[in-house]
Each structure stands twice: as C-alpha cells, then as structure tokens.
Amino acid sequence: MTDDPVIANLLTVLDANPELLPVRISVIELLAARGRHAEALSQCATALAQDPVNAQVTALLQRCTAALAGAAGESAAAALASTTSAAVEPEAADSGYDWEAAEEQVGDIIQPAFVNERSEPYAEGDVGLFERPKLTLADVGGMEHVKQQLELSLLGPVRNPELAKAFGTSARGGLLLYGPPGCGKTFVASAVAGELGANFYAIEIADILNWYTGRSEYNLKQVFRTARRKAPCVLFFDEIDALGHKRSHLSGSSSLRSTVNQLLTEMDSMTSDNEGVYIIGATNHPWDVDVALRRPGRFDRMVLVALPDPEARVSILRHHLKDRPVEGIDLNAVAARTESYSGADLAQICKSATQLAMADSIRTGAVRPVRMDDIAAALAQTRPSTGAWFESARNVVEFANNDGSYDELAAYMRTRDNR
Ligand SMILES: Nc1ncnc2c1ncn2[C@@H]1O[C@H](COP(=O)(O)OP(=O)(O)OP(=O)(O)O)[C@@H](O)[C@H]1O
Ligand SMILES: [Mg+2]
C-alpha cells in the first residue's frame, strides 16, 4: 500500500509492536503531511482505541477530518442549499470546515465564540476577558422582548443622551440580566457591546473574590480603572450572586460586605466618573443577589433572559452546526422538538450529533456529514437541564415577589404553564 520507505518501515515496526503509540503518532504525522488523510484517519482510530484522550492524536484526527471534509465540502454545500430556508447557510459549510476551532466553540460554550478580535494585552493587574465583539443584536436570534428592553433601558439612552435627559431616564447604574443557565446572558451582553461599538470586559465575580483576603476591593478598583480607561466599554459582571451572603462561602464575612460596598462606590455616579462605562450584571439566581446591589441607581433594571424561543433556537443550532459538514438538517424541525431546551442543552445536542457522525467517519475512513438521524439520536439522550431552575423560580414568584421585582418572571411562568 505504501511506497514511502520511512512510513513502510514504521508500519513494519508497528505490526510487530502495535502498542508503540509514539511510533504510531509519527506515522500519522507523516501520512497527514503526505496528504494521505484517510489512511492517517484509520491510524488515528487505532491510536485512540489505545489512548482515547491523547491530545496529540485528537488534534491530528481533527486535522485529517477537516482536510477530508474540505474535499467533501462541495457536496455538503449542495445538500445545505437544498434544505429549508432555516437551514445552515451554505457559506458556512463550504468555507472548509475547521474542526479544531469548531470543537473549541462547543467545548466551552461560555467562552464567547462570537468574539473576533482580542484587543491589546492586559495591563498588569487586570483580570477578566477583554474583547471587542463584532457581534450585534442582529446576531441574536429571536428574543425580541429582551432586545426591546435593552433598547429602552440602555441602548436608547446611550444613543440619545439629550432625549433621555428630557424623559428623566439614563443609562447610569447597572442592568441585571437574569434567567436559567445557558440561555444567552453573556451572549446578549457581548452583543450590546458590539451594538455600541464598545469594548467588552467580562469579569467573573469569583475571580475577584478568590484572591487572598483584603485584595478583593483593590481588584474591583482595578477593574473599574481599566474599564474607564477602555471606555466606551461594557463592563460585564458574571455571577453577581457570588457577592450575596446567602450563597457565598464567605457568608457573613466583613470582607464580602466591604467588597459589596466597594462595588457600590465604584458604580455610584456621584463618586465615580463612569462616563462611557456601561455596567451589566448577570446571574442565574437574582434572588441571591445582595439586596444592597438592587437598590435604585445600582442594578435596578432587571431583564429576564428566558429559554430561547423557536427563532432563537434556530439561531443557536445554526451557530453550533456551522463549520461542520451537515446534510439535510431541518433546523425548524429541530427547534420545534426542543421547546424547553436551553442554549447550553442545544449546544450539547449539536456536539453529541457531531460526535456520532465523527465516530462513523473514523470507522469508515470517509467523512460522513451530520444528519437528522444523528440529531434525533442526540436529542433522545439529552433532557432539558433547567427543571431545577424553574422550581426555584416558582417559589420566588409565589413567595418572594412582594415588591414586584419578579413580575416579568411571574408572567413568563404563567405563559409556560398555559401552553
Ligand atoms: N438568541 C441567541 N441567538 C444565537 N445564539 C445564541 C442565542 N442565545 C444563546 N446563544 C448561544 O448559546 C450559547 C450559550 O449562551 P451564553 O453562554 O450566553 O448563556 P448564559 O446565559 O450566559 O449561560 P450561563 O448561565 O452558563 O453563564 C452562546 O455561546 C451562543 O452561541
Ligand atoms: Mg454566561
């Protein structure tokens, strides 16, 4: 089969000693370098049987699959073009599919895959993620209600400061996005930054708190300093409930209290110049957010980012299937069958379906695109993950909504119940 003497020799060695993984990896590399991807792929399968999590082999496998998919790209594109209007765009498929990048996106959905450009390296003392998103609200599928609220409470006032003044509204203070996990809070916040042509600066509250005691306030100060320096900037605080006494392991500690106070001081327009710094917080558990943070002038506007509607589900599915070889996927049909699924659940379905097609491809040595039956199989294995969240939410709207903070949530729960 092989006329390359080096490869031939190595294969002879492997015949006698099949367990020599480094040798097999060398063979795979040589085969890939010679463009013999199908053979390389079958060697990858043997190597993975031996060591299923070997990073080097996985990377080679992705490279070979991608190369083969490039060859199969045309037929995949044709298949895509013939599916319904809601199918994955052909250009996504025929751009040659980069499995490695695509895996990265699905592997960690919290990592904003939509961010295209990293701005300058962090200055010393900076924490968090700093990016300049190209994404805008137009990239957010469905969720019209969320977009409307963002327009009213943040984008409108920022774009029309004079008008906002006349109506006594402003973009000052913070906006709190809340809802079940994996439904687009981070995604939406990043889109707001893109919409404003602003930097997106994402901070996990835990990253500030986990540092050794006494540093939390300093860290927070640094974060605001950086955000002001990078204005216009959307300063995104994720998991803001970590500052709440109910959940934190630092519960009751004076350190936590002073961190909350520091945050209030930094947010306070009287003591801080936050011109061009738009503060958005996110939480899955708004009921655990420190009450001091929810007072007027602080995170006083709450926006529910609920489960994705059908249109949002189509966008999410499209996002997670782009850059993969697909055939005959009817996104509308999948969206119709995934009523209670979160964005994270949908990402999981796409990932499982892709793995099924990939396993088949490895077995046969030829790329087999992801099809509807893979999606169906993945769907059968994946249950909606937000049940527990809705249970907490139900208690809150029933027993802890005296001030009407959760009216929007209550209304949403009613529409769900009535369906
Ligand atoms: N409306 C939408 N349109 C397109 N894609 C979406 C939409 N909503 C969510 N997504 C996709 O779903 C993924 C998960 O969303 P995201 O990470 O923003 O959720 P989250 O609410 O911040 O989750 P967590 O609670 O885990 O922090 C995003 O990376 C994005 O690709
Ligand atoms: Mg998030």
Side-chain angles (χ1 to χ4, degrees):
M1 175 78 197
T2 173
D3 47 15
D4 184 309
V6 181
I7 296 178
N9 280 339
L10 292 177
L11 285 175
T12 316
V13 172
L14 281 177
D15 275 345
N17 311 279
E19 75 290 351
L20 291 178
L21 193 57
V23 176
R24 199 173 300 281
I25 291 175
S26 303
V27 169
I28 299 170
E29 278 169 345
L30 286 168
L31 287 169
R34 308 261 191 289
R36 292 158 59 176
H37 295 109
E39 289 163 77
L41 206 58
S42 105
Q43 291 293 340
C44 284
T46 313
L48 283 178
Q50 212 176 324
D51 180 1
V53 293
N54 189 294
Q56 218 179 339
V57 179
T58 312
L60 281 163
L61 173 108
Q62 287 164 347
R63 219 174 86 201
C64 296
T65 321
L68 287 166
E74 253 173 46
S75 62
L80 275 164
S82 66
T83 51
T84 68
S85 60
V88 183
E89 284 105 354
E91 64 268 27
D94 67 13
S95 62
Y97 105 97
D98 181 349
W99 202 294
E100 207 167 333
E103 267 300 314
E104 233 174 69
Q105 287 174 12
V106 171
D108 179 8
I109 56 145
I110 298 170
Q111 171 73 26
F114 38 83
V115 172
N116 301 327
E117 201 180 281
R118 184 173 279 277
S119 65
E120 353 160 359
Y122 303 157
E124 206 176 326
D126 286 353
V127 288
L129 240 182
F130 216 103
E131 277 143 335
R132 184 180 275 279
K134 290 203 174 126
L135 179 85
T136 67
L137 284 185
D139 300 300
V140 177
M143 302 172 73
E144 288 311 321
H145 187 62
V146 174
K147 291 179 194 168
Q148 246 170 39
Q149 293 210 59
L150 289 170
E151 192 60 50
L152 264 176
S153 58
L154 183 64
L155 298 169
V158 172
R159 288 194 193 112
N160 313 288
E162 292 309 317
L163 215 61
K165 208 189 262 170
F167 283 94
T169 62
S170 89
R172 291 237 177 256
L175 194 76
L176 187 62
L177 303 178
Y178 75 101
C183 292
K185 294 180 294 297
T186 308
F187 189 69
V188 160
S190 174
V192 166
E195 196 72 34
L196 292 172
N199 284 310
F200 182 61
Y201 187 17
I203 304 290
E204 288 269 346
I205 289 290
D207 286 348
I208 293 177
L209 293 178
N210 281 346
W211 298 7
Y212 55 90
T213 325
R215 288 276 306 224
S216 302
E217 290 141 79
Y218 171 79
N219 294 338
L220 207 49
K221 218 183 264 185
Q222 283 297 100
V223 162
F224 272 88
R225 199 171 290 162
T226 308
R228 288 179 197 121
R229 212 174 53 234
K230 304 275 188 171
C233 173
V234 166
L235 176 51
F236 179 67
F237 286 112
D238 209 354
E239 302 197 18
I240 198 112
D241 50 285
L243 282 176
H245 282 248
K246 280 187 228 156
R247 283 170 66 84
S248 173
H249 58 287
L250 298 170
S251 187
S253 80
S254 61
S255 156
L256 194 61
R257 171 60 37 213
S258 51
T259 310
V260 170
N261 287 337
Q262 184 66 39
L263 180 56
L264 297 177
T265 310
E266 296 290 347
M267 285 180 77
D268 190 347
S269 52
M270 300 305 280
T271 48
S272 309
D273 175 19
N274 287 335
E275 196 58 49
V277 177
Y278 311 110
I279 304 167
I280 300 183
T283 176
N284 301 341
H285 305 103
W287 35 86
D288 289 335
V289 171
D290 194 299
V291 285
L293 285 169
R294 300 248 317 272
R295 299 222 174 93
R298 292 137 185 206
F299 290 98
D300 52 3
R301 288 154 289 161
M302 306 225 302
V303 177
L304 172 65
V305 180
L307 289 180
D309 50 44
E311 206 186 321
R313 293 202 289 276
V314 166
S315 297
I316 295 168
L317 291 163
R318 178 183 289 133
H319 170 80
H320 289 295
L321 288 173
K322 80 171 196 288
D323 301 334
R324 282 147 199 259
V326 293
E327 188 177 85
I329 306 259
D330 181 346
L331 295 178
N332 280 328
V334 183
R337 288 189 52 194
T338 44
E339 164 102 30
S340 295
Y341 287 75
S342 73
D345 297 335
L346 296 172
Q348 182 56 44
I349 289 168
C350 295
K351 187 178 177 181
S352 306
T354 306
Q355 277 168 348
L356 290 173
M358 186 160 133
D360 234 10
S361 303
I362 292 173
R363 226 177 358 256
T364 60
V367 170
R368 208 270 277 144
V370 183
R371 298 183 308 233
M372 275 302 260
D373 51 338
D374 299 314
I375 300 270
L379 197 55
Q381 294 164 11
T382 318
R383 295 267 66 83
S385 64
T386 45
W389 188 89
F390 277 103
E391 266 168 48
S392 309
R394 185 167 303 285
N395 285 332
V396 168
V397 296
E398 273 182 32
F399 305 112
N401 188 28
N402 303 337
D403 64 354
S405 297
Y406 296 106
D407 284 353
E408 191 190 359
L409 179 60
Y412 173 68
M413 304 277 281
R414 277 195 300 276
T415 60
R416 270 175 62 85
D417 290 346
N418 293 337
R419 267 204 294 262

